[in-house]
Coordinates of all heavy atoms in Angstrom, one line a residue:
V5 N 4.1 119.9 28.7 CA 2.8 119.4 28.5 C 2.5 119.3 27.0 O 2.0 118.3 26.5 CB 1.7 120.4 29.1 CG1 0.3 120.0 28.7 CG2 1.9 120.5 30.6
V18 N 2.0 105.7 15.1 CA 2.8 104.5 14.9 C 1.8 103.3 15.0 O 1.9 102.4 14.1 CB 3.9 104.4 15.9 CG1 4.6 103.0 15.8 CG2 5.0 105.4 15.7
I32 N -4.8 91.2 1.2 CA -4.5 90.9 -0.2 C -4.6 89.5 -0.6 O -5.0 89.1 -1.7 CB -3.1 91.5 -0.6 CG1 -3.2 93.1 -0.6 CG2 -2.7 91.0 -2.0 CD1 -1.9 93.8 -0.9
P38 N -1.3 85.0 -5.3 CA -0.6 86.1 -6.1 C 0.3 85.5 -7.2 O 0.4 86.1 -8.3 CB 0.2 86.9 -5.1 CG -0.4 86.5 -3.8 CD -0.9 85.1 -3.9
A39 N 0.9 84.3 -7.0 CA 1.8 83.8 -8.0 C 1.1 83.4 -9.3 O 1.7 83.4 -10.3 CB 2.5 82.5 -7.4
A47 N 0.6 77.3 -17.2 CA 1.9 77.1 -16.6 C 1.9 75.8 -15.8 O 0.9 75.3 -15.3 CB 2.2 78.3 -15.7
H57 N 8.7 80.7 -4.7 CA 10.0 80.7 -4.0 C 10.8 82.0 -4.3 O 11.4 82.6 -3.4 CB 10.8 79.5 -4.4 CG 12.2 79.5 -3.7 ND1 12.3 79.2 -2.3 CD2 13.4 79.7 -4.2 CE1 13.6 79.2 -2.0 NE2 14.3 79.6 -3.1
Y69 N 5.3 88.6 6.5 CA 5.0 89.9 7.1 C 6.3 90.5 7.8 O 6.6 91.7 7.7 CB 3.8 89.9 8.0 CG 3.5 91.3 8.6 CD1 3.0 92.3 7.9 CD2 3.8 91.5 10.0 CE1 2.8 93.5 8.4 CE2 3.6 92.7 10.6 CZ 3.0 93.7 9.8 OH 2.8 95.0 10.3
A76 N 10.9 97.1 4.8 CA 10.3 98.4 4.8 C 11.1 99.4 5.5 O 11.2 100.6 5.1 CB 8.9 98.3 5.3
S78 N 14.2 99.7 5.7 CA 15.3 100.1 4.9 C 14.9 100.7 3.6 O 15.7 101.0 2.7 CB 16.2 98.9 4.6 OG 15.5 97.9 3.9
D80 N 12.8 99.4 1.4 CA 12.6 98.4 0.3 C 11.2 97.8 0.5 O 11.0 97.0 1.4 CB 13.7 97.3 0.4 CG 13.5 96.2 -0.7 OD1 12.7 96.4 -1.6 OD2 14.2 95.2 -0.6
T114 N -12.0 125.5 -0.1 CA -11.9 126.5 0.9 C -12.5 127.8 0.3 O -13.2 128.6 0.9 CB -10.5 126.7 1.3 OG1 -10.0 125.5 1.8 CG2 -10.4 127.8 2.4
L141 N -26.1 120.7 0.1 CA -26.8 119.4 0.2 C -26.6 118.7 -1.1 O -26.3 117.5 -1.2 CB -28.3 119.5 0.5 CG -29.1 118.2 0.7 CD1 -28.5 117.4 1.8 CD2 -30.5 118.6 1.0
L142 N -26.8 119.4 -2.3 CA -26.6 118.8 -3.6 C -25.1 118.3 -3.7 O -24.9 117.2 -4.3 CB -26.9 119.8 -4.7 CG -28.4 120.1 -4.9 CD1 -28.6 121.2 -5.9 CD2 -29.1 118.8 -5.3
A143 N -24.2 119.1 -3.3 CA -22.8 118.7 -3.4 C -22.4 117.5 -2.6 O -21.7 116.6 -3.1 CB -21.9 119.9 -3.0
S145 N -24.6 115.1 -1.8 CA -25.4 114.0 -2.3 C -24.9 113.4 -3.6 O -25.1 112.2 -3.9 CB -26.8 114.4 -2.5 OG -27.3 115.0 -1.3
M146 N -24.1 114.1 -4.4 CA -23.7 113.6 -5.7 C -22.5 112.7 -5.6 O -21.5 113.1 -5.1 CB -23.4 114.7 -6.7 CG -24.6 115.5 -7.1 SD -24.2 116.8 -8.3 CE -23.2 117.9 -7.3
L163 N -19.7 120.5 -25.1 CA -19.1 121.8 -25.3 C -17.7 121.9 -25.8 O -17.3 122.9 -26.4 CB -19.2 122.6 -24.0 CG -20.6 122.8 -23.4 CD1 -20.5 123.5 -22.1 CD2 -21.5 123.5 -24.3
G170 N -6.2 112.7 -18.7 CA -4.7 113.1 -18.8 C -4.3 114.1 -17.8 O -5.1 114.6 -17.0
Q175 N -5.8 123.0 -18.0 CA -7.1 122.6 -18.5 C -7.5 121.2 -18.0 O -8.6 120.9 -17.7 CB -7.2 122.7 -20.0 CG -7.1 124.1 -20.5 CD -5.7 124.5 -20.9 OE1 -4.7 123.9 -20.3 NE2 -5.5 125.5 -21.8
V178 N -8.9 120.9 -14.3 CA -10.1 121.6 -13.9 C -11.2 120.6 -13.6 O -11.8 120.6 -12.5 CB -10.6 122.5 -15.1 CG1 -12.0 123.1 -14.7 CG2 -9.6 123.7 -15.3
S185 N -13.7 118.1 -5.4 CA -14.0 119.2 -4.5 C -15.5 119.2 -4.0 O -15.8 119.8 -3.0 CB -13.6 120.5 -5.1 OG -12.3 120.6 -5.4
A199 N -20.9 126.4 12.7 CA -19.9 126.9 13.7 C -20.0 128.4 13.8 O -20.0 129.0 14.9 CB -18.5 126.5 13.2
E202 N -23.3 129.4 15.7 CA -23.2 129.2 17.1 C -22.3 130.3 17.7 O -22.6 130.8 18.8 CB -22.6 127.9 17.4 CG -23.6 126.7 17.1 CD -23.0 125.3 17.4 OE1 -21.7 125.3 17.7 OE2 -23.7 124.3 17.3
A214 N -21.8 146.4 20.2 CA -22.0 147.6 21.1 C -20.8 148.6 20.9 O -21.0 149.8 21.1 CB -22.1 147.2 22.5
L217 N -18.5 148.0 15.8 CA -17.9 147.2 14.7 C -19.0 146.8 13.8 O -20.1 146.4 14.1 CB -17.2 146.0 15.3 CG -16.0 146.3 16.1 CD1 -15.4 144.9 16.6 CD2 -14.9 147.1 15.4
V252 N -11.1 106.8 -7.3 CA -12.2 106.8 -8.2 C -12.1 107.9 -9.2 O -12.2 107.7 -10.5 CB -13.6 106.9 -7.5 CG1 -14.7 107.0 -8.5 CG2 -13.8 105.6 -6.6
P305 N -5.2 127.4 23.1 CA -4.3 127.0 24.2 C -4.9 126.1 25.3 O -4.2 125.4 26.0 CB -3.8 128.3 24.8 CG -4.1 129.3 23.7 CD -5.3 128.8 23.0
R308 N -3.8 122.5 25.4 CA -2.6 122.1 26.1 C -2.8 121.6 27.5 O -2.2 120.7 28.0 CB -1.6 123.3 26.1 CG -1.3 123.8 24.7 CD -0.4 125.0 24.7 NE -0.1 125.6 23.4 CZ 0.6 126.6 23.1 NH1 1.2 127.3 24.1 NH2 0.7 127.1 21.9

Side-chain angles (χ1 to χ4, degrees):
V5 174
V18 170
I32 288 176
H57 180 72
Y69 178 71
S78 62
D80 180 13
T114 305
L141 184 60
L142 287 175
S145 303
M146 290 185 295
L163 300 178
Q175 292 95 335
V178 173
S185 300
E202 291 177 351
L217 294 179
V252 174
R308 300 180 184 178

